[in-house]
Amino acid sequence: KMLRDFTYIDDVTIVISKVLDKIPESNSKFNFSDPVASQSWSPFKIFNVGNSNPTKLLKFIEIIEKTLGIKAKEEFLTMQLGDVEATFSDSRLINKWVGFKPKTTIEEGLEKFIKWYLNYH
């Protein structure tokens, strides 16, 4: 039942290259009593870079199996200490800031990564 929001590395590097050219300004109206995580009194910004498309971990495994042409040996365990059922990203702020939203699908990203990994190793 677990969900994860995966982001392909090429999408991350595109975002990083775009933010390098856009320097944030400090927010002189920043409210220290009621802060907003994406704003600051200093000239910095924090972004959540993600695909905003959570995938079931079993689907993730299924894509890897299909790409490699082998069946995984699955062992289902109880929730591990510190783990969460779902992670979600929200790329609206980064899209608004630099006009880019990560868009590589989980299928495309895993296929590219596996091909790279097999070639590299």
Side-chain angles (χ1 to χ4, degrees):
K1 297 179 184 177
M2 297 177 83
L3 292 166
R4 292 292 178 268
D5 199 349
F6 298 96
T7 308
Y8 188 60
I9 189 66
D10 288 358
D11 287 341
V12 175
T13 57
I14 290 169
V15 168
I16 290 170
S17 69
K18 287 182 175 289
V19 299
L20 289 174
D21 294 331
K22 190 165 182 179
I23 301 170
E25 296 178 4
S26 59
N27 180 355
S28 60
K29 297 178 183 175
F30 182 75
N31 185 346
F32 287 91
S33 302
D34 188 22
V36 176
S38 63
Q39 299 178 1
S40 178
W41 57 271
S42 61
F44 302 102
K45 281 198 170 291
I46 296 174
F47 296 106
N48 185 342
V49 180
N51 206 348
S52 302
N53 191 16
T55 302
K56 290 182 181 179
L57 285 182
L58 289 177
K59 174 73 173 171
F60 176 81
I61 293 167
E62 179 184 302
I63 296 166
I64 294 172
E65 290 174 331
K66 181 180 175 190
T67 304
L68 290 173
I70 60 173
K71 180 80 175 131
K73 295 177 185 174
E74 296 173 348
E75 181 182 346
F76 294 94
L77 304 173
T78 59
M79 286 288 285
Q80 302 297 294
L81 186 63
D83 210 349
V84 294
E85 278 196 28
T87 62
F88 297 83
S89 67
D90 183 348
S91 295
R92 289 179 292 187
L93 186 60
I94 195 74
N95 187 18
K96 184 177 178 183
W97 185 252
V98 296
F100 180 79
K101 180 183 183 311
K103 55 187 168 264
T104 304
T105 66
I106 187 74
E107 294 85 0
E108 180 186 0
L110 278 173
E111 184 177 325
K112 284 181 176 181
F113 173 75
I114 290 168
K115 284 182 179 179
W116 168 82
Y117 183 87
L118 292 175
N119 186 50
Y120 186 79
H121 293 282

